[in-house]
Amino acid sequence: MVTSVQLKQLRTAQDCLDFRALFSQRSVVLVPTMGALHAGHEALINMAKQHGDAVVVSVFVNPTQFGPNEDFEAYPRTLDADLAICERLGVDAVFTPSVEVVYPNGYLNETGQAQYTQVNPPPELERQLCGLTRPGHFTGVCSVVLRLLMLTQCNKAVFGEKDAQQLAIIQRMVSDLSLPVEIIPHPIVREENGLAMSSRNRYFSTPQQLEASLVLSQTLLGIQALLIERKEQQKQRAFDEIEAGDATLFSDIDMLDIYHAQLKTFSPEAAALLKLDYLSMVNDDTFEPLTEYAGQLPLRVLMAAYVGDVRLIDNLRLI
Ligand code: AMP
């Protein structure tokens, strides 16, 4: 169905095939989203436009990546506004499949067990960080992303570093399955106050919630500042002829100290809303977890925290 001269709305597998045929010798770039589009998504779309001949944005709130007690029902759905954004940005097509299009044979049986063909990420990538708190989440993510890549027959797809573990897992899936798709990462887009943009930020209305949501970016920046400071100290020690590079620059415990120091700067009402899920570091090349850091590896620090019932994630590459 055509909603305007430029923007096509694709709903079925056949719609996708028909659209793909229009660009048969050209490259199509997919931006997979769950809708409730914000400036972070817009940046991904603009990047997609630079990488191919046509841009498809998928809007699908994927039920299989939500746990039983998560916010699948409540997740913001703003399709009209999403379509307007896509039209404004010159997107070629928006793919808005139903659950039946993505899971033609269903995804749960009568007893609530998964009954669809799943893609399970490797345990070493999955069993940490968000995978621990959200069991099965990344199976749902890989399973839907593979379907979206196949349905749209895209050549490239853009994913945000905001979901850094998801990005690492998808890059691995593409490599493991030899999928003919190039994954293009996009840096995190932030509000002026540092908060990473997220569709879930819409859940916040009170000043206390907004204040509390800043704990993630502020903790990550605090860790970055500590790392810079300790590196300076290390250089000084090297100057004093103590071998540089062997000493731990910081550890999990230092990171927790910074989180708690940040908490103390918040109003008691905001601090009371917060619950840390994880604050961890990984080797950014392999996503291998680290408990301490000596300075040689590419490092990413990742964090998840609840503001009331709302779970936020953020991360920062430090080297
Ligand atoms: P979502 O709609 O939240 O599933 O996100 C769709 C895509 O947009 C994913 O690849 C996310 O990583 C990416 N994304 C969401 N928020 C941001 C952000 N603030 N900065 C960069 N990418 C983002």
Side-chain angles (χ1 to χ4, degrees):
M1 183 186 135
V2 178
T3 54
S4 74
V5 180
Q6 288 95 23
L7 183 67
K8 290 185 174 9
Q9 191 174 347
L10 317 174
R11 292 194 169 87
T12 65
Q14 188 61 50
D15 288 348
C16 289
L17 286 178
D18 292 346
F19 177 79
R20 193 67 188 82
L22 298 175
F23 293 89
S24 58
Q25 297 304 318
R26 289 177 286 166
S27 66
V28 170
V29 190
L30 175 67
V31 183
T33 80
M34 296 205 301
L37 301 184
H38 50 67
H41 296 115
E42 290 191 25
L44 268 65
I45 292 169
N46 284 327
M47 180 177 249
K49 286 171 66 180
Q50 290 162 16
H51 279 84
D53 301 308
V55 173
V56 179
V57 174
S58 61
V59 175
F60 180 63
V61 185
N62 173 38
T64 66
Q65 72 188 67
F66 287 80
N69 300 317
E70 295 183 352
D71 57 344
F72 173 65
E73 298 296 340
Y75 197 84
R77 289 162 171 86
T78 60
L79 185 59
D80 288 344
D82 296 345
L83 292 173
I85 288 173
C86 289
E87 182 152 25
R88 170 167 57 79
L89 296 181
V91 167
D92 297 276
V94 178
F95 181 35
T96 55
S98 62
V99 170
E100 291 71 29
V101 168
V102 178
Y103 300 102
N105 302 302
Y107 63 94
L108 291 178
N109 64 18
E110 301 86 54
T111 61
Q113 302 298 307
Q115 65 146 12
Y116 65 103
T117 301
Q118 298 178 322
V119 182
N120 291 314
E124 83 260 20
L125 285 179
E126 201 265 333
R127 284 196 200 136
Q128 54 166 323
L129 308 167
C130 293
L132 282 184
T133 320
R134 308 185 70 188
H137 169 69
F138 288 116
T139 293
V141 167
C142 285
S143 300
V144 76
V145 169
L146 179 64
R147 284 163 171 76
L148 294 171
L149 299 178
M150 301 301 285
L151 282 160
T152 59
Q153 312 227 326
C154 62
N155 307 87
K156 303 175 186 182
V158 185
F159 287 87
E161 284 178 12
K162 155 100 183 336
D163 299 86
Q165 187 179 12
Q166 167 176 287
L167 174 61
I169 284 175
I170 285 166
Q171 281 170 324
R172 180 66 179 272
M173 173 180 79
V174 165
S175 169
D176 278 351
L177 301 182
S178 306
L179 300 176
V181 179
E182 181 190 340
I183 301 301
I184 303 168
H186 190 288
I188 299 179
V189 180
R190 298 178 180 281
E191 305 280 359
E192 258 176 40
N193 63 13
L195 175 66
M197 291 192 181
S198 163
S199 304
R200 289 191 168 95
N201 294 350
R202 290 170 195 247
Y203 292 138
F204 302 138
S205 51
T206 69
Q208 292 77 18
Q209 289 171 323
L210 293 168
E211 183 187 351
S213 67
L214 298 180
V215 80
L216 293 102
S217 55
Q218 290 184 358
T219 299
L220 294 171
L221 288 175
I223 291 167
Q224 184 177 50
L226 177 71
L227 176 62
I228 291 167
E229 185 188 315
R230 297 240 173 119
K231 279 199 144 181
E232 283 305 313
Q233 290 165 357
Q234 196 182 52
K235 263 194 223 154
Q236 195 57 46
R237 284 207 306 279
F239 190 69
D240 295 342
E241 293 180 5
I242 296 169
E243 196 175 332
D246 290 342
T248 299
L249 279 170
F250 64 81
S251 67
D252 276 356
I253 296 165
D254 293 317
M255 296 203 299
L256 273 180
D257 285 348
I258 290 180
Y259 170 71
H260 288 296
Q262 283 299 334
L263 271 190
K264 289 200 184 113
T265 67
F266 288 161
S267 68
E269 296 79 14
L273 291 173
L274 281 164
K275 187 167 151 271
L276 182 65
D277 181 2
Y278 64 74
L279 177 54
S280 305
M281 52 185 151
V282 299
N283 173 340
D284 199 35
D285 281 345
T286 60
F287 246 72
E288 186 194 340
L290 305 168
T291 52
E292 45 179 51
Y293 182 65
Q296 283 86 358
L297 302 166
L299 182 72
R300 193 174 290 271
V301 177
L302 304 99
M303 181 169 176
Y306 291 90
V307 176
D309 293 337
V310 181
R311 186 170 175 281
L312 295 181
I313 58 172
D314 198 351
N315 67 84
L316 200 59
R317 184 176 156 117
L318 294 185
I319 301 292

